[in-house]
């Protein structure tokens, strides 16, 4: 790559071959000329042509990278792998199925870039393209989560997010971390910016990752995050004493 990127776009994917090219084209259309950036696809053990499609696109763009998990480790692990490999100080994420519209990436990135104490800019979905039952599950889960964690966030399940890389890496890692970012970012003393985003149907294929709107799957994580918040002590104000 010709320059050090200031922004890294992390996209976790598993078996999304038909969605690779359209999404990359959309990402580049909204970011080219605005930031020095890189796109990191984390191929989470795909068994279809995802890897080959990415390799073909990498031959066309020198700011596109592919990381591969030998076996699928899940969305949280894929996001973490991408953030750890990122070269930009600001990282933005979006799902690889096309439901998250990249047109909102600039607003999310700018919110973090311009906010002195903003640790996270979180997309808040409007006009979701899920079934009525999934919407109901999500509303119930979000109300329960917010009542317990008091993170002030309407929607934590949206894949469109931007955050400071060092803030993400300072947090304790566990499977499902990406779903609790608002509460954990507030725990670290940072503020959160919110950006309304418009959901849309996936380009093709079916979902390969589970949803947090199945509350019973995330109940143990919810209890663990509550414990982490309760056990947080004030960060000491440290100065070095010179001789």
């Amino acid at each position: 790559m010709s320059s050090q990127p200031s922004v890294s776009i992390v996209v976790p994917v598993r078996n999304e071959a038909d969605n690779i090219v359209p999404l990359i084209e959309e990402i580049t259309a909204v970011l080219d000329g605005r930031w020095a950036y890189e796109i990191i696809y984390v191929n989470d053990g795909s068994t279809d042509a995802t890897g080959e499609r990415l390799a073909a696109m990498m031959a066309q763009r020198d700011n596109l990278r592919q990381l591969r998990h030998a076996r699928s480790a899940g969305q949280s692990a894929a996001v973490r792998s991408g953030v750890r490999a990122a070269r930009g100080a600001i990282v933005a994420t979006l799902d690889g199925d096309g439901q998250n519209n990249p047109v909102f990436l600039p607003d999310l990135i700018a919110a973090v870039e311009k906010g002195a104490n903003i640790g996270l800019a979180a997309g808040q979905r409007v006009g979701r393209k899920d079934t009525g039952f999934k919407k109901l599950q999500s509303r119930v889960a979000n109300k329960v989560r917010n009542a317990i964690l008091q993170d002030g966030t309407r929607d934590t399940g949206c894949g469109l997010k931007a955050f400071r890389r060092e803030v993400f890496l300072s947090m304790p890692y566990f499977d499902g971390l990406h779903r609790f970012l608002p509460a954990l970012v507030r725990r670290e003393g940072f503020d959160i910016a919110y950006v309304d985003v418009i959901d849309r149907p996936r380009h093709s294929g079916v979902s390969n990752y589970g949803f947090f709107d199945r509350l019973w799957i995330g109940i143990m994580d919810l209890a663990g995050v509550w414990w982490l918040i309760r056990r947080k002590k004030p960060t000491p104000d440290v100065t070095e004493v010179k001789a």
Side-chain angles (χ1 to χ4, degrees):
M1 296 178 214
S2 57
S3 62
Q4 173 73 23
S6 60
V7 174
S8 298
I9 310 299
V10 172
V11 188
V13 287
R14 180 158 64 94
N15 294 338
E16 297 285 1
D18 291 338
N19 294 317
I20 297 299
V21 174
L23 187 59
I24 291 175
E25 290 177 344
E26 288 184 316
I27 293 172
T28 58
V30 299
L31 295 185
D32 278 359
R34 304 190 67 167
W35 286 276
Y37 72 96
E38 63 181 355
I39 306 172
I40 303 174
Y41 265 75
V42 184
N43 183 353
D44 185 33
S46 295
T47 56
D48 66 354
T50 292
E52 290 77 4
R53 301 283 171 84
L54 284 169
M57 292 298 290
M58 289 167 64
Q60 302 175 33
R61 297 195 63 94
D62 63 0
N63 67 340
L64 176 62
R65 302 166 61 191
Q66 177 183 182
L67 306 179
R68 179 174 175 84
H69 290 168
R71 293 180 298 276
S72 177
Q75 190 171 5
S76 281
V79 170
R80 184 170 184 252
S81 292
V83 176
R84 291 180 68 182
R87 300 164 67 220
I90 295 177
V91 176
T93 65
L94 72 164
D95 294 340
D97 58 11
Q99 280 194 278
N100 296 155
N101 193 332
V103 73
F104 297 104
L105 286 172
D107 290 339
L108 292 163
I109 295 166
V112 176
E113 194 174 50
K114 296 175 182 178
N117 198 51
I118 297 295
L120 168 71
Q124 303 289 276
R125 290 170 290 186
V126 296
R128 290 186 61 182
K129 303 303 181 183
D130 286 324
T131 64
F133 181 56
K134 286 185 177 179
K135 291 178 184 178
L136 175 62
Q137 287 179 305
S138 183
R139 282 196 294 268
V140 171
N142 278 313
K143 286 182 178 179
V144 172
R145 188 208 68 254
N146 200 16
I148 293 174
L149 302 183
Q150 298 181 2
D151 58 16
T153 304
R154 171 171 55 83
D155 174 20
T156 65
C158 180
L160 277 163
K161 297 181 175 72
F163 45 81
R164 301 187 188 279
R165 179 176 181 269
E166 73 272 11
V167 173
F168 182 95
L169 294 178
S170 72
M171 290 186 255
Y173 173 74
F174 58 93
D175 190 32
L177 167 65
H178 65 287
R179 303 182 185 106
F180 294 94
L181 280 178
L184 293 170
V185 167
R186 289 191 189 280
R187 176 181 180 267
E188 297 300 318
F190 292 92
D191 297 324
I192 300 172
Y194 297 101
V195 175
D196 283 344
V197 302
I198 299 174
D199 201 25
R200 62 185 185 178
R202 61 164 37 242
H203 284 305
S204 65
V206 297
S207 175
N208 292 288
Y209 287 120
F211 293 94
F212 177 58
D213 48 19
R214 297 183 180 92
L215 178 59
W216 50 89
I217 294 177
I219 195 67
M220 293 302 293
D221 287 342
L222 184 62
V225 173
W226 176 84
W227 181 87
L228 284 171
I229 292 172
R230 290 290 299 269
R231 295 296 296 168
K232 173 70 174 177
K233 292 184 178 180
T235 302
D237 184 6
V238 180
T239 57
E240 182 178 357
V241 178
K242 301 292 186 179

